[in-house]
Amino acid sequence: MRVLGIESSCDETAAAIVQDGRLLLSNVVNSQIDIHAVYGGVVPEVAARSHIEVVNPVINQALTEANLTWDDIDAIAVTYAPGLIGSLLIGTLAARTLAITKNKPLYPIHHVEAHVYANFLGTTPPQFPILALIVSGGHSQLVLFKDHGDYKLLGQTQDDAIGEAFDKVAKIIGLPYPGGPSIAKAAVNGNPLAYKLPKAKLSGAYDFSFSGLKTAVLRAVQHEVNVDIDFPSSGLPGLLDATQKANFAASFQRIAIETLVDKTEKAFVDFSPKTVVIAGGVAANQELRRILSERLPIQIEYAPINLCTDNAAMIATLGYYQSLKQSPIDPYILEVQPSLSMTKA
Ligand code: KG4
Ligand code: ZN
């Protein structure tokens, strides 16, 4: 069975074709990073406009790269939740129209759940029960998957997502957008013990919080360059030298990653999963991969970097597994759900 996946929930327009939930036949991602970098973050209206311009060419390219025609496609899967409303609308409208005109079954996909399915591509799918640490620009969650479609949310962030914290801290210290890769790169040359930053204490055993850490970095930078809290934060990067920036990047990254690893380790001990998976854009972080692998007595599974960040291969893969258990949705009634949580999907 060949599924065409379509993804447009944030700033990537993507289409991919996956066979039987494991064989990747094509994977096209049009990233808007350059467009949004000028503003230091994603501008929703600009994102939606860009999706409109490229969604059809991206889908056609996915067919061309797989050397397939519409006759070879058995189903369409599309991200309908969560994400930016204007962005989600473009992908779902394209998918609904194609499902109707090409007469294909349509499967609505939850983006956060789909991140985990990047790990199902390839020859050996992860074994259930799976403990998944899903860490992206919009989400930080620990989820226990007992089977396909059967999962329990163990914990999640109470404020900022971890990727969002990387992006905001990068902005404070003057590193380019997106902040995750910039911080990881700068941190290589920094001392992770240079600045003392706090780990949030929360009542939920598997919950996260990153907003306080971000503010602690801001205060530490203000202290370092000797300005008070009223000083405009846009002026801070100009007062930091390259060594200070690298030290802030490394110190922040250390605490952020330790927080993720501490909670994942606790969940591992409490639930004894067969597999531990990290998924989402922040799963691209090499230090997270390394430290989690060091701390847990099990091999940690993660996808190649281009399948950790937003893509449509993960959408098509989950679409395949969904088609085995569920009926397709009526393309005339599918609506986007910008803030739907994974457990309500
Ligand atoms: O999954 P994703 O592509 O989009 C969302 O669904 O949010 O994740 C994007 C996030 C951004 O916040 C970006 O800064 C972060 O993933 N990211 C990283 C790295 N690469 C991307 N964070 C830390 N280290 C990285 N190497
Ligand atoms: Zn994502």
Side-chain angles (χ1 to χ4, degrees), residues 56-110:
N56 284 333
V58 164
I59 293 168
N60 288 334
Q61 198 182 331
L63 285 163
T64 307
E65 284 186 12
N67 208 8
L68 297 173
T69 68
W70 277 103
D71 288 343
D72 305 309
I73 300 299
D74 301 299
I76 298 173
V78 65
T79 306
Y80 79 110
L84 301 169
I85 183 163
S87 292
L88 286 168
L89 277 169
I90 311 304
T92 51
L93 271 175
R96 291 170 60 191
T97 310
L98 289 166
I100 295 164
T101 56
K102 307 290 182 189
N103 197 22
K104 309 287 177 190
L106 178 65
Y107 294 92
I109 301 297
H110 193 280

Side-chain angles (χ1 to χ4, degrees), residues 312-326:
M314 64 189 200
I315 306 299
T317 305
L318 177 52
Y320 167 76
Y321 284 103
Q322 203 159 300
S323 75
L324 303 179
K325 285 197 156 184
Q326 286 176 31

Side-chain angles (χ1 to χ4, degrees), residues 288-299:
L288 172 61
R289 293 174 171 198
R290 187 180 68 77
I291 295 173
L292 196 59
S293 302
E294 254 174 37
R295 284 265 291 272
L296 295 192
I298 188 172
Q299 193 177 337

Side-chain angles (χ1 to χ4, degrees), residues 223-251:
H223 183 259
E224 178 77 8
V225 299
N226 251 318
V227 298
D228 62 31
I229 57 170
D230 300 325
F231 186 83
S233 57
S234 58
L236 293 172
L239 303 175
L240 292 169
D241 64 28
T243 306
Q244 288 168 314
K245 287 185 185 188
N247 287 344
F248 274 114
S251 301

